[in-house]
Amino acid sequence: MIAEVLVPDGAWSRRNRRSVFTYRVPPSLAALVQPGHLVAVRFGSRLTQGIVWSVAEGEPGDPAAAEASDQPETEEQPAALRDISKLLDAAPVLLPHQQALAEWVADYYCASLATSVLLMLPPRLGAGMRLAPARSAAESEAGAAENHLAGETSRALIDFVREKGIVDEAKVRQMLGTARAGTAIAELLEHRLVDLVPAHLRTQRARIVRLAASYDEAARWCEETRRQLDTLSPQRALSVRKQLAVIGLLLATSSRTPATGAPAKHWTLTEVRKVTKATQATFDALQRLGLLAIEDAEVARNPLEDRPAAPSAPLPLTAAQRQAVERIVAAKDASVFLLHGVTGSGKTEVYLQALAAVIARGQRGMVLVPEIALTPQAMARFAGRFPGRVAVLHSGLTHSERYDQWRRIRAGQVDVVVGSRSAVFAPLANPGLIVIDEEHEAAYKQEDRIPTYHAREVALALSRLTGASVVLGSATPSSESYYAAQSGRYALLELPTRVAQADGVISGLPTVTIVDLRAELRAGHTNVLSRALAGAISEALAAGQQAILFLNRRGMASYVLCRGCGYVVCCPRCDIPLTYHAAEHALLCHYCFRQEPPPRACPVCLSSDIRYYGHGTERVEDVVGRLFPRARLLRWDNDTARGRHGHERLLDAFANHQADILIGTQMIAKGLDFPAVTLVGVISADTALYLPDYRAAERAFQLLTQVAGRAGRGKTPGQVIFQTFTPQHFCIQAAAEQNYREFYEAEISARRQYGYPPFRRFVKFTYSHEDRYTCQVEATALYNTLTQLVTALDLRDTDLVGPAPAFMERLRERYRWQIIVRSPDLRPLLREVAPEELPRGWSVNIDPMSTL
């Protein structure tokens, strides 16, 4: 039997672009090895991890086998296949549909199969091998085997491994040299003196305390023992009270059902001692009574343990919500729905009830949210509805937590997976429903590394592979998704009104007022807050209500300028103005994080006439604090949301009404629900509106509409104020009217005219180098190659933009030039210019979210 094994860290070559190599399956593993299994293999002179891609009978003459073999292949004698060294995990690390999904991602995004597979594995899985003393053989057998070792190197290595307990295989090769290490390790494996251990994170184990008796038996003992306390001596009574405290703690967190008796919380011995002050004698006595058991067990690192969710029941549905749920539940054959609902229309309740129906028929669900900041609120809602059956996956978790959550999902211990874009690759068996909330968000696109996947497109591919339905939810859908719904490819579900509150009152959409900042200036009012916004804040505070002020820019001042000669202080690494942050009293670059003190004099003309211009969230906080000194302010941006739980801390503080005014950047505009917020003020509605990017107007409309939707979600009607220098812009007018259809008609007309997505696809080639001239030369050379290919392949409706410097030409001390290819079908061109074959320095972004 032979197996095709994907080696993630194997050398890529033109002969084997997929990094899949042929190995022989030894008889001892023939009945165990299946596609998706994690195995240890020898690759060249080292041990590494691989994933079995397929298994077949026979010894095919695959050319890839030569690369996996000790001996080079010749025409006379094909190379002998190497054996798979060990099965590293009893359960497959990839499900069959995940293998197919990895193939799709690699093909669609022009990435290697290995990088696509790594998206589906927890951190560090596939990172290498370790050697550990074998635990399977008895000491006598190990001693006999050691006597048969042929080399001194092997004897020294086994002593070293036993001394250290566990050793990286790479370190052994570094110590002994590649050839000697390979020979010694092979001999130790042959004699079963060492075990191969994956280099990824291991499970956490602890001593667990649980009830050994049934719930009723333990409760009865507690009742009888309490009645006898008065008859005991003081010393004996103190000992018994500790016993009662231990059993009482376990009863409080245990199921009353005798059939399960499963605790809602696993109490470790250390935790019980800390809570009850019990001694070892207490535990010994309870064990003798048959009430308590202490055992060594695996303990999952649960990121939700400190955030218990209150159980929730399904809410009454409006007619539109009910129709949406019914259509989603009844769907078959990988249906795709676009759930277009105004802010506050109850999209989340539609998700919850549709998931409940899917779970009831034996399937599972997946819910994606665009930002980590939204995950705590989303987790509270889904964990409250499906207690104990929800897993969370996002980059804010530690590697250990991600590993444990991944293992829970793989083991089928959860019904719903909630997370950011990477959660779409979770090992969820039998998915029935995939929800992508706020589907329009750019955060679903991975732009900074290969593969440059979009979670929405991956979810659609996963749907086609598994038959799961997909629900794309948004109050402001992307033009591509809404066009697909209008074209009949997606089914359109609409929620046109907000849902009723607990008392039956239905709050309408907030009223929006546009303030013309030009008129404010003509009236001599130069404050960051217009007169209308300042008055509205005063009224909200007087009524005990909360307000949100939105500005998508951090810092105190956007740039520092010399009024004598016009010099602007720029980052020497990025060629963009440095932002002044008053908290640090420093100039910061938001791209390379360079920091330097503010200048006291101009370095060009030596003038002291240095001034600070522009404003960010820090300036707004300062102005609001001076105007409303009694108001409690909270600023939420990347400067304040630091630390692992920074977003959760700020979210909880504002939700618990520990602040009256929240000042923040775009993270406060996305799906958050604060019923006490009645006022939203947009400090500058023009920010990013005029960037040279075809998505600029769409992003501005989405952001304004979403942030406006944070107001009036409770019983009190909401009010929104847009401050702008261009009140006549169609994007601002449409957002003020909350009229998505009007915006969409104008946007899709422009995209059709200029051949922008969804009418053509884009791919962005970017070259970066320390030398500007080199960037220009390389970009021009690729442009000439692409032009020739477009002509030779007769790719009509395909054109090239560039080569030209990127919008920010210099970033982190590297210049950047780019070429954008626009075509109805990119695949013929990308097959000829594979990203892996481009010279070093090139990056390729398939379907970029921005052309900047």
Side-chain angles (χ1 to χ4, degrees), residues 2 4 22 58-66 73 78-79 81:
I2 58 96
E4 299 294 319
T22 307
E59 298 275 345
D62 191 334
E73 183 180 357
L81 294 182

Side-chain angles (χ1 to χ4, degrees), residues 276-299:
T276 64
K277 311 301 181 186
T279 63
Q280 186 59 46
T282 305
F283 296 111
D284 293 341
L286 291 172
Q287 285 180 294
R288 287 194 296 270
L289 291 171
L291 295 170
L292 196 72
I294 301 175
E295 54 194 27
D296 184 64
E298 179 184 330
V299 180

Side-chain angles (χ1 to χ4, degrees), residues 375 469 612 657:
T375 308
S469 296
Y612 298 82
H657 216 138

Side-chain angles (χ1 to χ4, degrees), residues 68-409:
S69 174
D70 283 320
Q71 300 174 358
E73 183 180 357
T74 65
E75 293 184 2
E76 297 78 12
Q77 179 64 45
L81 294 182
R82 287 179 167 179
D83 282 353
I84 291 176
S85 300
K86 186 180 180 181
L87 181 65
L88 296 175
D89 198 328
V93 296
L94 288 183
L95 300 174
H97 71 256
Q98 287 185 292
Q99 288 188 252
L101 184 63
E103 298 269 12
W104 180 88
V105 170
D107 177 66
Y108 188 86
Y109 291 103
C110 300
S112 69
L113 184 59
T115 56
S116 302
V117 164
L118 290 176
L119 294 169
M120 304 177 184
L121 303 180
R124 300 181 185 173
L125 193 66
M129 295 301 306
R130 293 175 177 175
L131 303 175
R135 291 183 292 179
S136 57
E139 287 188 18
S140 57
E141 294 177 353
E146 190 172 348
N147 291 332
H148 288 86
L149 291 179
E152 292 294 328
T153 303
S154 301
R155 298 175 186 273
L157 179 57
I158 187 58
D159 291 341
F160 180 71
V161 171
R162 287 170 177 166
E163 178 186 351
K164 298 296 183 182
I166 192 165
V167 180
D168 286 336
E169 188 265 347
K171 185 174 182 179
V172 175
R173 285 191 287 110
Q174 183 180 8
M175 291 168 48
L176 302 178
T178 301
R180 291 175 64 200
T183 302
I185 292 172
E187 189 173 10
L188 295 181
L189 288 173
E190 180 184 352
H191 291 284
R192 298 182 181 180
L193 289 169
V194 294
D195 280 336
L196 294 177
V197 182
H200 61 82
L201 293 165
R202 289 166 288 176
T203 56
Q204 178 175 288
R205 303 191 69 83
R207 299 192 72 193
I208 299 297
V209 179
R210 65 172 180 84
L211 289 176
S214 69
Y215 183 98
D216 291 335
E217 289 173 342
R220 193 181 309 113
W221 177 85
C222 287
E223 185 178 351
E224 294 174 353
T225 304
R226 287 193 186 97
R227 288 199 298 262
Q228 299 173 6
L229 277 175
D230 294 338
T231 65
L232 302 177
S233 66
Q235 185 176 359
R236 175 62 180 159
L238 177 62
S239 175
V240 171
R241 283 193 176 93
K242 289 182 180 180
Q243 296 174 16
L244 286 168
V246 171
I247 300 301
L249 178 68
L250 297 179
L251 286 173
T253 54
S254 296
S255 168
R256 193 181 186 95
T257 306
T260 61
K265 172 180 170 58
H266 293 290
W267 287 99
T268 66
L269 186 60
T270 302
E271 289 173 334
V272 175
R273 279 177 170 165
K274 185 176 181 180
V275 173
T276 64
K277 311 301 181 186
T279 63
Q280 186 59 46
T282 305
F283 296 111
D284 293 341
L286 291 172
Q287 285 180 294
R288 287 194 296 270
L289 291 171
L291 295 170
L292 196 72
I294 301 175
E295 54 194 27
D296 184 64
E298 179 184 330
V299 180
R301 291 151 286 206
N302 184 7
L304 306 177
E305 191 170 12
D306 297 331
R307 296 184 62 88
S312 67
L315 302 176
L317 299 177
T318 64
Q321 284 179 306
R322 188 178 303 108
Q323 183 182 17
V325 171
E326 289 173 354
R327 290 190 61 185
I328 294 169
V329 173
K332 296 179 181 179
D333 301 327
S335 300
V336 181
F337 298 91
L338 177 61
L339 183 62
H340 177 212
V342 298
T343 55
S345 59
K347 292 186 289 294
T348 301
E349 188 64 27
V350 171
Y351 305 154
L352 287 165
Q353 297 202 21
L355 281 167
V358 167
I359 293 169
R361 66 189 186 205
Q363 294 180 293
R364 296 183 171 92
M366 180 184 294
V367 181
L368 304 187
V369 294
E371 295 278 1
I372 296 175
L374 298 181
T375 308
Q377 196 169 66
M379 282 304 307
R381 291 172 176 172
F382 289 94
R385 192 66 59 89
F386 309 106
R389 302 293 294 176
V390 178
V392 57
L393 284 177
H394 59 75
S395 60
L397 303 180
T398 66
H399 289 337
S400 300
E401 288 171 339
R402 281 181 68 90
Y403 180 53
D404 285 350
Q405 292 291 295
W406 178 84
R407 292 177 68 247
R408 285 186 66 218
I409 299 167

Side-chain angles (χ1 to χ4, degrees), residues 476-500:
T476 55
S478 65
S479 297
E480 292 91 335
S481 293
Y482 201 78
Y483 179 78
Q486 294 293 303
S487 304
R489 291 193 292 118
Y490 301 167
L492 181 62
L493 307 174
E494 300 207 71
L495 305 178
T497 60
R498 286 188 162 181
V499 296

